[in-house]
């Protein structure tokens, strides 16, 4: 590294973190020696709806991901979430899925020197060697395939490397934790026979099976049928924060036995019981405010996007005090203890939680603070590197191996 680049890198690191002095030399060294992988960011909503450029250097931008922020946090690979809002895309889920996939490719095309599309473990490692952000695609919600296994294969061919079996909505083949207690929704008691075929086809293709968001019974049905290790791309621990999106200790142990990994979600309502209760208490009024605002837009003939809803959600989220960073670290620690150190990682949910992240975590640039907190709790360098990315890389490699076994 020449001096000019070194100075630029230093300025970049300082510009994002007023607390950079709080990262010790030891933590910095461990963090920078890791291949850091985050398995869930909703930034594609921004790419598509506001034509956000990941190369943005706007200091006022409150988004979690940019190439500069990724560089400052030594983020090596990001799984960009391809999430189709079922409420605003009725009748064209697959088309909107394609539009979102395109939005990620377009970002990579704009910044070929700093970012590349990645479809395999080898690609992630190559991007890391070339100091580029590896961009991967994960579909969040089985409704994207419109109950057509051919579309699943098409999305694989376009580069999609995980699919969350359901989002918050129950779809044709998988029950969701988001509506499992809603009697108006028709449920299947977990995964349908067709859903089991979809899981097996994902195993055959080498697409990671993602159990975040699914109903508990769907989780158990998936664990019983899958031939490859699963991931929970962005899920935290229910024993600490009692949210149905989080995983019970039995589920954590089952993922460990399956060889998979639980990537801990940073969302304040999933990692802090006080915050969760406060968010729940305001949910009725908040939802009404979102509806009033979006109805107003619709009446004016405008198309409502996630960002419109997010604008109102942010105002409400800002009324609740942010939880301490230790709440997030408690979840990582809990999963490491219950499932084991080989089965825990990071699934931030960046750009998908309306700014509701714990104190100190304002963007990908703050990821070294997690490493510092783990050092403070006595985690070894090797264990920290597993959490930061080593574990999910192992699971991805194993899914590739299973795919190879099933197709030869
Ligand atoms: Zn999600």
């Amino acid at each position: 590294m020449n001096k000019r680049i070194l100075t630029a890198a230093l300025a970049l690191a300082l510009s994002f973190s007023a607390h950079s002095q709080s990262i010790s030399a030891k933590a910095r060294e461990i963090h920078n020696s890791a291949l850091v992988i985050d398995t869930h960011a909703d930034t594609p909503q921004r790419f598509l709806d506001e034509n956000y450029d990941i190369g943005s250097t706007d200091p006022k931008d409150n988004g979690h991901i940019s190439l500069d922020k990724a560089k400052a946090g030594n983020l090596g690979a990001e799984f960009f979430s391809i999430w189709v809002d079922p409420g605003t895309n009725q009748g064209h889920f697959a088309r909107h899925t394609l539009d979102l996939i395109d939005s990620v490719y377009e970002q990579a095309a704009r910044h070929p020197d700093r970012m590349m599309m990645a479809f395999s473990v080898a690609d992630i490692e190559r991007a890391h060697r070339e100091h580029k952000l590896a961009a991967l695609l994960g579909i969040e919600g089985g409704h994207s395939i419109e109950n057509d296994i051919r579309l699943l294969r098409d999305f694989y061919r376009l580069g999609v490397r995980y699919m969350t079996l359901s989002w918050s909505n129950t779809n044709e083949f998988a029950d969701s934790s988001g509506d499992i207690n809603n009697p108006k929704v028709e449920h299947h008691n977990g995964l349908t026979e067709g859903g089991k075929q979809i899981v097996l086809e994902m195993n055959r293709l080498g697409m990671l099976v993602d159990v975040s968001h699914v109903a508990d019974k769907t989780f158990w049905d998936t664990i019983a049928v899958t031939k490859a290790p699963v991931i929970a791309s962005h899920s935290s621990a229910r024993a600490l924060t009692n949210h149905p999106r989080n995983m019970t200790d039995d589920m954590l142990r089952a993922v460990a036995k399956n060889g998979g990994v639980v990537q801990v979600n940073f969302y304040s309502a999933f990692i802090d019981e006080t915050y969760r209760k406060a968010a729940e208490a305001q949910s009725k009024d908040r939802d009404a405010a979102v509806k009033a605002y979006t109805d107003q837009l619709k009446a004016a003939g405008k198309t409502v996007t996630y960002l419109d809803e997010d604008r109102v959600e942010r105002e409400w989220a800002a009324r609740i005090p942010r939880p301490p960073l230790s709440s997030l670290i408690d979840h990582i620690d809990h999963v490491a203890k219950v499932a084991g150190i080989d089965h825990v990682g990071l699934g931030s949910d960046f750009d998908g939680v309306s700014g509701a992240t714990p104190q100190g975590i304002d963007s990908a640039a703050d990821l070294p603070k997690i490493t510092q907190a783990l050092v403070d709790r006595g985690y070894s360098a090797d264990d920290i590197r597993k959490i930061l990315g080593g574990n999910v890389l192992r699971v991805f490699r194993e899914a590739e191996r299973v795919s190879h076994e099933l197709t030869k």
Side-chain angles (χ1 to χ4, degrees), residues 40 42 81 83 140 167-168 212-213 234 245 265 270 349:
H40 200 91
D42 278 299
S81 170
W83 171 70
E140 182 177 22
W167 181 62
S168 299
S212 284
H213 278 287
H234 58 311
R245 265 286 278 111
N265 192 312
F270 294 162
D349 220 344

